[in-house]
Amino acid sequence: MSRSAITLKSRKEIASRANFRCEYCLLSERVSYFSFHIEHIRSIKHGGNNKLENLAYCCPDCNFYKGTDIGTFVGSELNLVRFFNPRIDIWQEHFEIQDAKIDGKSEIGIATVQIFKFNEIDRLIFRKQLVELGLYP
Ligand SMILES: [Zn+2]
């Protein structure tokens, strides 16, 4: 996966477009210990490119779990569902937050929550603390 074509100017534009939040789990970069990543929504491996409409601002956890995947199976092994695409999908239509836990409201949401491990215990505890501090979502 080549990232060399993503310029500093593009990185800044992508971060600003996302309001410096992960476009998947909505974590704010300012409360993260780690720098966020520029993520390929459609991975290079699957024909993606470095154009702005294929790039998302992404926390390290979401990017790690997504990897080069673009979807997964929901419900049955015959039902292949793509992940949430922050360029074309509206977050609130696919997810809801209940007590810091993120649930999928659609098959796209369910597929994304499942593979990105939004509710892994460490992430959930951290989000609960952020909610209490008024820093999430
Ligand atoms: Zn995230």
Side-chain angles (χ1 to χ4, degrees):
M1 184 173 359
S2 168
R3 296 196 171 152
S4 57
I6 302 171
T7 62
L8 183 61
K9 182 173 173 282
S10 292
R11 296 183 69 87
K12 286 180 177 171
E13 191 174 332
I14 293 160
S16 174
R17 178 177 67 185
N19 285 324
F20 302 90
R21 286 182 176 272
C22 174
E23 296 191 75
Y24 296 100
C25 73
L26 305 185
L27 185 71
S28 173
E29 187 173 33
R30 70 194 168 102
V31 299
S32 173
Y33 294 110
F34 303 102
S35 296
F36 280 14
H37 302 172
I38 303 299
E39 193 271 322
H40 291 84
I41 297 165
R42 180 174 173 179
S43 55
I44 300 289
K45 176 183 178 179
H46 291 285
N49 56 43
N50 285 342
K51 291 182 179 169
L52 289 178
E53 57 267 26
N54 188 47
L55 299 171
Y57 209 50
C58 190
C59 74
D61 284 335
C62 285
N63 198 20
F64 174 77
Y65 290 119
K66 178 180 182 284
T68 59
D69 292 357
I70 52 175
T72 191
F73 297 95
V74 174
S76 86
E77 62 187 36
L78 299 175
N79 190 27
L80 181 57
V81 178
R82 70 172 172 84
F83 293 140
F84 175 76
N85 179 337
R87 297 284 71 77
I88 60 173
D89 297 322
I90 296 168
W91 200 92
Q92 289 79 4
E93 289 178 2
H94 298 281
F95 308 100
E96 61 189 350
I97 302 169
Q98 295 250 351
D99 194 27
K101 184 171 179 277
I102 303 172
D103 291 314
K105 287 167 66 176
S106 65
E107 287 193 331
I108 286 172
I110 291 165
T112 307
V113 168
Q114 186 179 311
I115 298 301
F116 288 51
K117 299 190 189 298
F118 282 170
N119 299 310
E120 189 180 55
I121 192 68
D122 290 346
R123 299 177 77 183
L124 191 55
I125 289 168
F126 185 48
R127 272 205 308 276
K128 282 187 185 211
Q129 291 170 337
L130 293 174
V131 167
E132 285 171 16
L133 294 168
L135 298 172
Y136 186 89

